[in-house]
Amino acid sequence: MKNIAILCSGGDVSGMNAALKRFVEYSFAKGLTPYFVDHGYEGLIDNKIYQAGYSDVAGIISRGGTKIHTSRSKRFMEKAYRKQAIDNLKSHNIEYLIVLGGDGSFKGMQKLSDESEGIGFSGIPSTIDNDIAGTSYCLGVDTALNVIKFSIDSIRDTASSFSRAFVIEVMGRRCGYLALVTALTSGAEMCLVPEIPYELDNYKKCFKKQIDDGREYFIAVVSEALNNSEEIVQWFEKEIGIESRVMVLGHIQRGGNPTVHDRHMAFNFVTYAIDGLLEGKTSSVVCFSDCGFNYKHIDDVAFKKAVLDNDLLKLGMEYGKNK
Ligand code: F6P
């Protein structure tokens, strides 16, 4: 039997545990022996590698986070530590490694696959930021969107009760995907993301008119990348004349009970990863597009910049226009 391992790297996402469950079950179904690497690349360096069984994945499907832990490894940037990681994989006779992670993790995987012989690698895009080149969907995004949507809906209740403006800061690193999708689908009055230039003056005219027409509160969703939540709160107070609060959603966005969509996507991503490795598609990333799942070479994913979908951008551009 060939040995196959899996690790989680970078920010955890809801759906990773569903992926681990599928990994163990599908590995056995394919005649492979599954291994877990605890704590991502850090664990790979420290040889925290162990054989996994059905009991390890029992009851985890409904839990966010990752049972095998994750890490952001600075040591992995150094070749000597990567050599240690490869030696550790070889000491367990591991022939395949699946990496769940975001762009930083894929940069690490690319280096590892360049430097190791005889080990096949497959990446599964897993980040709430949805900012991986080559794939329109990353594991965990749907759950994060729903957590944010739920939070905005709740904030709207208190915003309307107090006649306040709320500036809600949303994660996404340098990408505005989470902010834009949740602003649109929650009916937010303002959305500021790094991909779309904005003029606060345009909002001013529009908001003043809305107040004259009877509006009593505002919801603004802003991307963490802009780092301007406090500034926007001040703007609401001074320019619009409404009491305002800032709400940084923070790490709550990364957790929670995974949605049906993320559990389902986890199963598909892992199935494609294992099938691809067995077919010789190594150094690849399982990607998703309107046409379904596909494989991309790691060189076409790591170090490439993801761009927002045109339709989403078009909808986002309508923010700040006089209505
Ligand atoms: O990449 C996922 C992410 O949650 C980003 O949205 C956020 O900027 C970052 O990780 C936070 O990182 P950390 O958990 O290390 O504070």
mmCIF file of all heavy atoms in Angstrom, residues 10-12 72 127-129 131 171-174 178 224 251 254, ligand 1:
data_model
loop_
_atom_site.group_PDB
_atom_site.id
_atom_site.type_symbol
_atom_site.label_atom_id
_atom_site.label_comp_id
_atom_site.label_asym_id
_atom_site.label_seq_id
_atom_site.Cartn_x
_atom_site.Cartn_y
_atom_site.Cartn_z
ATOM 1 N N GLY A 10 -1.597 27.778 7.106
ATOM 2 C CA GLY A 10 -2.152 29.135 7.057
ATOM 3 C C GLY A 10 -3.465 29.232 7.817
ATOM 4 O O GLY A 10 -3.759 28.399 8.688
ATOM 5 N N GLY A 11 -4.280 30.223 7.476
ATOM 6 C CA GLY A 11 -5.544 30.424 8.193
ATOM 7 C C GLY A 11 -6.460 29.222 8.047
ATOM 8 O O GLY A 11 -6.668 28.724 6.947
ATOM 9 N N ASP A 12 -6.998 28.751 9.176
ATOM 10 C CA ASP A 12 -7.937 27.624 9.113
ATOM 11 C C ASP A 12 -9.238 28.081 8.462
ATOM 12 O O ASP A 12 -9.538 29.274 8.437
ATOM 13 C CB ASP A 12 -8.231 27.121 10.531
ATOM 14 C CG ASP A 12 -8.651 28.256 11.440
ATOM 15 O OD1 ASP A 12 -7.791 29.070 11.792
ATOM 16 O OD2 ASP A 12 -9.858 28.358 11.743
ATOM 17 N N ARG A 72 1.513 29.079 10.544
ATOM 18 C CA ARG A 72 2.198 29.873 9.516
ATOM 19 C C ARG A 72 3.675 29.710 9.852
ATOM 20 O O ARG A 72 4.121 30.175 10.887
ATOM 21 C CB ARG A 72 1.788 31.343 9.599
ATOM 22 C CG ARG A 72 0.287 31.588 9.432
ATOM 23 C CD ARG A 72 0.009 33.059 9.234
ATOM 24 N NE ARG A 72 -1.389 33.413 9.449
ATOM 25 C CZ ARG A 72 -2.351 33.256 8.551
ATOM 26 N NH1 ARG A 72 -2.073 32.726 7.385
ATOM 27 N NH2 ARG A 72 -3.593 33.620 8.824
ATOM 28 N N THR A 127 -9.027 29.036 1.885
ATOM 29 C CA THR A 127 -8.869 30.322 2.568
ATOM 30 C C THR A 127 -10.164 31.096 2.457
ATOM 31 O O THR A 127 -10.781 31.118 1.386
ATOM 32 C CB THR A 127 -7.718 31.164 1.973
ATOM 33 O OG1 THR A 127 -7.841 32.509 2.461
ATOM 34 C CG2 THR A 127 -7.713 31.215 0.453
ATOM 35 N N ILE A 128 -10.548 31.739 3.557
ATOM 36 C CA ILE A 128 -11.788 32.523 3.486
ATOM 37 C C ILE A 128 -11.622 33.709 2.541
ATOM 38 O O ILE A 128 -12.599 34.271 2.076
ATOM 39 C CB ILE A 128 -12.257 33.017 4.877
ATOM 40 C CG1 ILE A 128 -11.241 33.955 5.525
ATOM 41 C CG2 ILE A 128 -12.599 31.852 5.782
ATOM 42 C CD1 ILE A 128 -11.821 34.752 6.705
ATOM 43 N N ASP A 129 -10.382 34.107 2.261
ATOM 44 C CA ASP A 129 -10.150 35.316 1.449
ATOM 45 C C ASP A 129 -10.584 35.143 -0.014
ATOM 46 O O ASP A 129 -10.781 36.126 -0.719
ATOM 47 C CB ASP A 129 -8.659 35.706 1.485
ATOM 48 C CG ASP A 129 -8.175 35.943 2.905
ATOM 49 O OD1 ASP A 129 -9.014 36.231 3.776
ATOM 50 O OD2 ASP A 129 -6.955 35.827 3.148
ATOM 51 N N ASP A 131 -8.848 34.318 -2.577
ATOM 52 C CA ASP A 131 -7.892 35.116 -3.364
ATOM 53 C C ASP A 131 -6.808 34.266 -4.023
ATOM 54 O O ASP A 131 -5.671 34.706 -4.171
ATOM 55 C CB ASP A 131 -7.238 36.177 -2.458
ATOM 56 C CG ASP A 131 -6.440 35.546 -1.314
ATOM 57 O OD1 ASP A 131 -6.568 34.325 -1.086
ATOM 58 O OD2 ASP A 131 -5.680 36.274 -0.657
ATOM 59 N N MET A 171 -12.709 40.715 6.980
ATOM 60 C CA MET A 171 -11.403 40.146 6.591
ATOM 61 C C MET A 171 -11.283 39.950 5.079
ATOM 62 O O MET A 171 -12.233 40.228 4.336
ATOM 63 C CB MET A 171 -11.197 38.803 7.277
ATOM 64 C CG MET A 171 -10.631 38.888 8.672
ATOM 65 S SD MET A 171 -10.248 37.218 9.262
ATOM 66 C CE MET A 171 -9.434 37.612 10.812
ATOM 67 N N GLY A 172 -10.181 39.438 4.652
ATOM 68 C CA GLY A 172 -9.959 39.175 3.225
ATOM 69 C C GLY A 172 -8.534 39.512 2.796
ATOM 70 O O GLY A 172 -8.214 39.460 1.619
ATOM 71 N N ARG A 173 -7.742 39.906 3.753
ATOM 72 C CA ARG A 173 -6.358 40.347 3.479
ATOM 73 C C ARG A 173 -6.367 41.454 2.431
ATOM 74 O O ARG A 173 -7.045 42.448 2.634
ATOM 75 C CB ARG A 173 -5.495 39.163 3.036
ATOM 76 C CG ARG A 173 -4.074 39.262 3.552
ATOM 77 C CD ARG A 173 -3.299 38.015 3.253
ATOM 78 N NE ARG A 173 -3.493 36.998 4.253
ATOM 79 C CZ ARG A 173 -2.788 36.908 5.379
ATOM 80 N NH1 ARG A 173 -1.861 37.781 5.644
ATOM 81 N NH2 ARG A 173 -3.023 35.948 6.245
ATOM 82 N N ARG A 174 -5.769 41.279 1.256
ATOM 83 C CA ARG A 174 -5.781 42.373 0.266
ATOM 84 C C ARG A 174 -6.957 42.261 -0.717
ATOM 85 O O ARG A 174 -7.067 43.021 -1.657
ATOM 86 C CB ARG A 174 -4.454 42.378 -0.517
ATOM 87 C CG ARG A 174 -3.288 42.899 0.295
ATOM 88 C CD ARG A 174 -1.971 42.652 -0.385
ATOM 89 N NE ARG A 174 -1.677 41.233 -0.513
ATOM 90 C CZ ARG A 174 -1.153 40.487 0.471
ATOM 91 N NH1 ARG A 174 -0.864 41.020 1.635
ATOM 92 N NH2 ARG A 174 -0.916 39.204 0.297
ATOM 93 N N LEU A 178 -14.902 39.029 0.140
ATOM 94 C CA LEU A 178 -15.847 38.824 1.253
ATOM 95 C C LEU A 178 -16.661 40.080 1.511
ATOM 96 O O LEU A 178 -17.875 40.015 1.710
ATOM 97 C CB LEU A 178 -15.079 38.455 2.538
ATOM 98 C CG LEU A 178 -14.431 37.079 2.628
ATOM 99 C CD1 LEU A 178 -13.705 36.940 3.959
ATOM 100 C CD2 LEU A 178 -15.454 35.964 2.480
ATOM 101 N N GLU A 224 -10.745 44.962 5.335
ATOM 102 C CA GLU A 224 -9.648 45.212 6.284
ATOM 103 C C GLU A 224 -8.420 45.802 5.588
ATOM 104 O O GLU A 224 -7.642 46.529 6.188
ATOM 105 C CB GLU A 224 -9.259 43.924 7.021
ATOM 106 C CG GLU A 224 -8.664 42.835 6.135
ATOM 107 C CD GLU A 224 -8.112 41.642 6.915
ATOM 108 O OE1 GLU A 224 -8.031 41.693 8.146
ATOM 109 O OE2 GLU A 224 -7.745 40.649 6.262
ATOM 110 N N HIS A 251 -11.784 37.356 13.942
ATOM 111 C CA HIS A 251 -11.589 35.924 13.680
ATOM 112 C C HIS A 251 -12.858 35.085 13.760
ATOM 113 O O HIS A 251 -12.831 33.912 13.373
ATOM 114 C CB HIS A 251 -10.517 35.374 14.621
ATOM 115 C CG HIS A 251 -9.149 35.854 14.245
ATOM 116 N ND1 HIS A 251 -8.703 37.111 14.559
ATOM 117 C CD2 HIS A 251 -8.164 35.271 13.526
ATOM 118 C CE1 HIS A 251 -7.489 37.281 14.075
ATOM 119 N NE2 HIS A 251 -7.129 36.179 13.446
ATOM 120 N N ARG A 254 -13.681 33.185 10.670
ATOM 121 C CA ARG A 254 -12.969 31.975 10.242
ATOM 122 C C ARG A 254 -13.565 30.703 10.845
ATOM 123 O O ARG A 254 -13.137 29.602 10.479
ATOM 124 C CB ARG A 254 -11.505 32.096 10.640
ATOM 125 C CG ARG A 254 -10.679 32.951 9.731
ATOM 126 C CD ARG A 254 -9.388 32.276 9.329
ATOM 127 N NE ARG A 254 -8.558 31.945 10.431
ATOM 128 C CZ ARG A 254 -7.467 32.636 10.808
ATOM 129 N NH1 ARG A 254 -7.107 33.696 10.128
ATOM 130 N NH2 ARG A 254 -6.740 32.256 11.819
HETATM 131 O O1 F6P B 1 -5.968 34.561 5.283
HETATM 132 C C1 F6P B 1 -6.996 34.396 6.178
HETATM 133 C C2 F6P B 1 -7.027 35.516 7.164
HETATM 134 O O2 F6P B 1 -8.114 35.288 8.052
HETATM 135 C C3 F6P B 1 -7.117 36.928 6.566
HETATM 136 O O3 F6P B 1 -8.405 37.261 6.144
HETATM 137 C C4 F6P B 1 -6.615 37.768 7.717
HETATM 138 O O4 F6P B 1 -6.074 38.988 7.238
HETATM 139 C C5 F6P B 1 -5.552 36.898 8.303
HETATM 140 O O5 F6P B 1 -5.842 35.554 7.933
HETATM 141 C C6 F6P B 1 -5.436 36.955 9.808
HETATM 142 O O6 F6P B 1 -4.356 36.187 10.168
HETATM 143 P P1 F6P B 1 -4.065 35.707 11.647
HETATM 144 O O7 F6P B 1 -5.067 34.654 12.007
HETATM 145 O O8 F6P B 1 -2.680 35.153 11.597
HETATM 146 O O9 F6P B 1 -4.208 36.904 12.527
#
